[in-house]
Each structure stands twice: as structure tokens, then as C-alpha cells.
């Protein structure tokens, strides 16, 4: 199975992308190419929905790390939602995404982003989850 990439229109400065299939040596360049214009637009958050991603290799992990690095200069976040257990474990082991930026649902990710924005507006810089 190949990688399918579905890009949704930005919502409130957040870019949502659904990945399906396999993110591996054969497909990671496609993801990098798809994300490049989104990252150039400097979203507040890039939300990767991995509900239908079945496999991730080290090349796929590098693509996620590359996106995180591109977001960092403007304090953008990369959030992961709906990861299957095997994907969550790989991300956890290699520490590609902080565990407090992986969510079981889009609603949880949205609540995190809302809290983050409220803290910034209130002049606080702490992590909204504690």
C-alpha cells in the first residue's frame, strides 16, 4: 500500500493533514513535498491525523522531525492525532514528537490548541497541559 495524503483547508491558523497507508523510504519524499508549501505558510500548528497510517519507517520519522524543525522558528507546533498503537510506539521510542503533543482525538488536539492560544493571549508561556 502506498502513502495517501489528504490536505484539509487551514482552520484558525492550523493545518490538518490525513495520512493513510505506509510512510516509508518509498513515500517520505512525497510527504516532504506536500508539506513544504504548508510549512512555508507558517501555520500555528500542523496536525497530522494518523488514524489510517499502518506503517512508519525511520525515513517517515525523519519527515516528521523535519516538519517539527521547520515549525520551530516561529513557535509552530506539530501535533499527532489518532495514531495506531504501532505508530504511537515508534514515535514514542524515537521521541519524534513529545508525548504531550500526541492525541487520541481531534477534539483533544483542538482543546490543547485552544488552551495554548488562551495562555499566549494572557501572557503566559507555560505548556497548557501543565
Amino acid at each position: 500500500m502506498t502513502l495517501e495524503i489528504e490536505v484539509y483547508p487551514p482552520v484558525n491558523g492550523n493545518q490538518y493533514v490525513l495520512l493513510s497507508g505506509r510512510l516509508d523510504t518509498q513515500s517520505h519524499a512525497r510527504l516532504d513535498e506536500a508539506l513544504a508549501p504548508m510549512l512555508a505558510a507558517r501555520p500555528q500548528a500542523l496536525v497530522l491525523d494518523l488514524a489510517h497510517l499502518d506503517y512508519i519507517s525511520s525515513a517517515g520519522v525523519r519527515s516528521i522531525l523535519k516538519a517539527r524543525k521547520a515549525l520551530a522558528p516561529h513557535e509552530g507546533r506539530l501535533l499527532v492525532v489518532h495514531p495506531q498503537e504501532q505508530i504511537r510506539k515508534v514515535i514514542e521510542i524515537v521521541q519524534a514528537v513529545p508525548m504531550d503533543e500526541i492525541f487520541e482525538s481531534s477534539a483533544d488536539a483542538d482543546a490543547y490548541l485552544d488552551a495554548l492560544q488562551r495562555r499566549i493571549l494572557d501572557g503566559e508561556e507555560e505548556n497548557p497541559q501543565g
Side-chain angles (χ1 to χ4, degrees), residues 64-110:
I64 291 173
L65 290 169
K66 183 177 173 182
R68 281 190 68 223
K69 186 175 180 179
L71 291 164
H74 66 275
E75 298 181 12
R77 306 270 179 155
L78 186 139
L79 307 180
V80 171
V81 297
H82 305 119
Q84 294 188 41
E85 187 58 32
Q86 72 275 17
I87 305 297
R88 175 189 281 278
K89 193 54 107 174
V90 169
I91 290 171
E92 181 181 329
I93 288 170
V94 300
Q95 300 176 353
V97 176
M99 293 310 294
D100 65 345
E101 294 181 5
I102 300 175
F103 301 92
E104 293 299 319
S105 71
S106 296
D108 291 343
D110 288 342

Side-chain angles (χ1 to χ4, degrees), residues 14-129:
N14 303 316
Q15 181 65 61
Y16 292 82
V17 179
L18 174 67
L19 302 179
S20 303
R22 296 175 59 90
L23 180 53
D24 57 20
T25 305
Q26 303 293 322
S27 62
H28 76 95
R30 282 190 54 234
L31 179 61
D32 292 346
E33 289 171 15
L35 294 180
M38 291 175 245
L39 295 170
R42 300 176 54 156
Q44 172 187 307
L46 173 62
V47 181
L48 298 179
D49 187 333
L50 307 184
H52 303 288
L53 191 68
D54 300 318
Y55 177 84
I56 189 168
S57 72
S58 60
V61 170
R62 278 193 305 275
S63 289
I64 291 173
L65 290 169
K66 183 177 173 182
R68 281 190 68 223
K69 186 175 180 179
L71 291 164
H74 66 275
E75 298 181 12
R77 306 270 179 155
L78 186 139
L79 307 180
V80 171
V81 297
H82 305 119
Q84 294 188 41
E85 187 58 32
Q86 72 275 17
I87 305 297
R88 175 189 281 278
K89 193 54 107 174
V90 169
I91 290 171
E92 181 181 329
I93 288 170
V94 300
Q95 300 176 353
V97 176
M99 293 310 294
D100 65 345
E101 294 181 5
I102 300 175
F103 301 92
E104 293 299 319
S105 71
S106 296
D108 291 343
D110 288 342
Y112 172 86
L113 291 171
D114 289 344
L116 178 66
Q117 290 178 72
R118 280 194 304 276
R119 294 232 176 190
I120 290 169
L121 290 172
D122 291 342
E124 300 174 32
E125 293 185 20
E126 293 179 25
N127 182 326
Q129 296 204 348

